[in-house]
């Protein structure tokens, strides 16, 4: 099991019973496409039928799943299997108990409690299962981006991944399209500069850009990035979170002292490149000024979540407070 984008290419014949379960539509579509591809590798003339579960009667399904006189290979895809009626579920169960040779039945289910009987019966029958759970955590989206770039034959530097995610957003289709386009436009080697250049209007106005300029003490760049972020509608919470994360990272790395980034990465729970970057930045800070910055970012996080009447002003005040703290020697 696992997401299709990160799996190694498999050319083996697909099992006769296939279950694709999960809410992430792009990954589910790719899982089905991969099953069809594998079936086509075995028989280029395989017949493909895609059926909306709510639109098919039990008798019609039974006919499609019956062996033919000429034993033609078939792939029957039941889309939205969570919509199956009780009678159709019974028909699926009857077939799953004795699948016909040369026919691959794919049940694509969105997950959850609705129509769970289809999932249970397919698993009980030994169906090959691909899980396409919703990608929600930042590290999962980062993994997806790296896998997409590899899928297109390219490579991406560690510092470019969060910039691309921040620039494009959380939608996997948009991330996939952006990754593919960047591989094509950069010759396959993607770095932070390339991402920022390609997504200039968006990447340079994100919370990461505001945080980076603020931590570096570049007052003009920080305020300009903040204004553009606000103009382009970057959520206040994302800007505040990026600023707070940058300051917390400095505080954690500063407290850990000098050392090998690879070793400290495990102790601090962050990637080595992030430790290395923070080690270079924290030299411009003193413990007491970092404390001031930590307090300012904690305050603005509360402000943008409802404590302040004007969250945009609260963000500008926080950026200036961090800049002033850095400048204090």
């Amino acid at each position: 099991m696992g997401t299709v984008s990160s799996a190694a290419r498999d050319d083996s014949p697909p099992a006769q019973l296939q279950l694709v379960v999960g809410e992430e539509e792009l990954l589910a579509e790719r899982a089905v496409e991969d099953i069809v591809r594998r079936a086509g590798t075995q028989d280029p003339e395989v017949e493909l039928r895609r059926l909306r579960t709510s639109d098919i009667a039990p008798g019609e399904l039974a006919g499609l799943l019956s062996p033919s006189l000429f034993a033609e290979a078939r792939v029957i895809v039941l889309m939205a299997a969570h919509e199956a009626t009780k009678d159709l579920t019974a028909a699926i169960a009857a077939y799953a108990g004795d699948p016909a040779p040369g026919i691959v039945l794919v049940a694509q289910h969105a997950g959850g409690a609705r129509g769970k009987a289809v999932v249970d019966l397919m698993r009980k029958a030994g169906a090959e299962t691909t899980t396409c759970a919703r990608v929600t955590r930042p590290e999962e989206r980062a993994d997806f981006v790296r896998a997409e770039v590899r899928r297109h034959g390219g490579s991406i530097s560690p510092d470019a991944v969060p910039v691309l995610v921040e620039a494009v957003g959380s939608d996997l289709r948009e991330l996939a399209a952006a990754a593919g386009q960047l591989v094509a436009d950069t010759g396959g080697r993607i770095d932070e500069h390339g991402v920022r250049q390609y997504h200039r209007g968006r990447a340079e106005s994100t919370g990461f850009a505001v945080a980076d300029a603020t931590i570096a003490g570049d007052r003009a760049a920080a305020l300009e990035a903040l204004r553009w972020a606000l103009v382009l509608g970057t959520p206040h919470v994302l800007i505040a979170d990026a600023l707070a994360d940058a300051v917390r990272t400095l505080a954690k790395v500063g407290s850990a002292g000098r050392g090998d980034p690879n070793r400290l990465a495990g102790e601090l729970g962050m990637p080595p490149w992030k430790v290395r970057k923070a080690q270079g930045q924290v030299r411009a800070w003193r413990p007491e000024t970092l404390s001031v910055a930590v307090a300012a970012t904690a305050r603005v996080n509360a402000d943008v979540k409802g404590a302040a009447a004007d969250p945009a002003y609260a963000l500008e005040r926080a950026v200036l407070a961090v800049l002033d703290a850095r400048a204090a020697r």
Side-chain angles (χ1 to χ4, degrees):
M1 292 190 290
T3 58
V4 178
S5 61
S6 61
R9 183 181 173 93
D10 180 6
D11 290 324
S12 63
Q16 287 179 267
L17 299 177
Q18 296 283 336
L19 175 63
V20 177
V21 59
E23 295 178 279
E24 201 62 72
E25 290 184 1
L26 174 64
L27 299 184
E29 289 171 10
R30 288 185 175 179
V32 172
E33 289 171 3
D34 192 60
I35 293 166
V36 173
R37 179 193 60 77
R38 288 165 59 195
T41 299
Q42 305 305 312
D43 185 346
E45 297 183 4
V46 64
E47 179 187 358
L48 170 64
R49 295 291 298 273
R50 295 178 185 267
L51 308 164
R52 182 84 185 185
T53 306
S54 58
D55 295 338
I56 186 171
E60 184 183 358
L61 178 64
L64 289 170
L65 293 173
S66 298
S68 71
L69 292 175
F70 302 102
E72 297 102 333
R74 271 173 278 166
V75 177
I76 308 298
V77 180
L78 293 179
M79 299 180 294
H82 47 278
E83 298 177 355
T85 63
K86 184 176 180 180
D87 288 343
L88 189 63
T89 300
I92 296 171
Y95 177 78
D98 186 22
I103 299 177
V104 176
L105 174 64
V106 184
Q108 185 266 311
H109 191 286
R114 184 184 180 190
K116 188 173 181 293
V118 174
V119 174
D120 293 341
L121 72 88
M122 290 290 283
R123 283 180 169 156
K124 185 177 180 181
E128 183 176 274
T129 302
T130 304
T131 302
C132 305
R134 180 78 68 189
V135 174
T136 57
R137 295 185 299 174
E139 56 268 31
E140 291 174 335
R141 283 192 284 273
D143 287 343
F144 176 80
V145 167
R146 284 188 283 266
E148 277 299 295
V149 171
R150 287 196 301 271
R151 188 170 182 259
H152 290 282
S155 62
I156 184 167
S157 63
D159 56 351
V161 174
V163 177
L164 179 58
V165 173
E166 184 76 5
V168 175
S170 60
D171 186 88
L172 291 198
R173 292 184 191 278
E174 293 188 9
L175 284 171
Q181 193 63 53
L182 277 165
V183 170
D185 290 351
T186 62
R189 298 178 64 85
I190 305 170
D191 57 17
E192 181 181 354
H193 174 73
V195 174
R196 291 190 184 279
Q197 186 174 44
Y198 188 79
H199 294 277
R200 185 175 300 277
R202 298 174 72 181
E204 292 188 357
S205 64
T206 63
F208 282 137
V210 176
D212 284 348
T214 303
I215 293 299
D218 191 335
R219 186 174 297 260
L223 293 175
E224 182 182 0
L226 175 61
R227 292 187 188 109
W228 272 111
L230 295 173
V231 166
L232 295 178
T234 304
H236 300 119
V237 172
L238 292 185
I239 302 172
D241 284 348
L243 189 60
D245 179 69
V247 172
R248 282 196 303 268
T249 297
L250 285 186
K252 288 173 69 174
V253 172
S255 298
R258 296 181 180 179
D260 177 29
N262 295 309
R263 178 181 61 80
L264 291 176
E267 297 175 7
L268 299 176
M270 60 183 71
W273 68 264
K274 195 170 185 179
V275 176
R276 195 173 295 110
K277 181 178 179 179
Q279 284 178 329
Q281 294 170 327
V282 78
R283 296 179 189 135
W285 292 78
R286 291 182 288 112
E288 53 269 32
T289 58
L290 264 178
S291 296
V292 172
V294 168
T297 57
R299 184 168 58 249
V300 77
N301 262 285
D303 287 342
V304 298
K305 292 171 183 174
D310 187 345
Y313 173 72
L315 282 167
E316 184 171 342
R317 183 177 59 197
V319 167
L320 290 172
V322 175
L323 286 165
D324 290 343
R326 187 187 187 280
R329 293 298 180 115

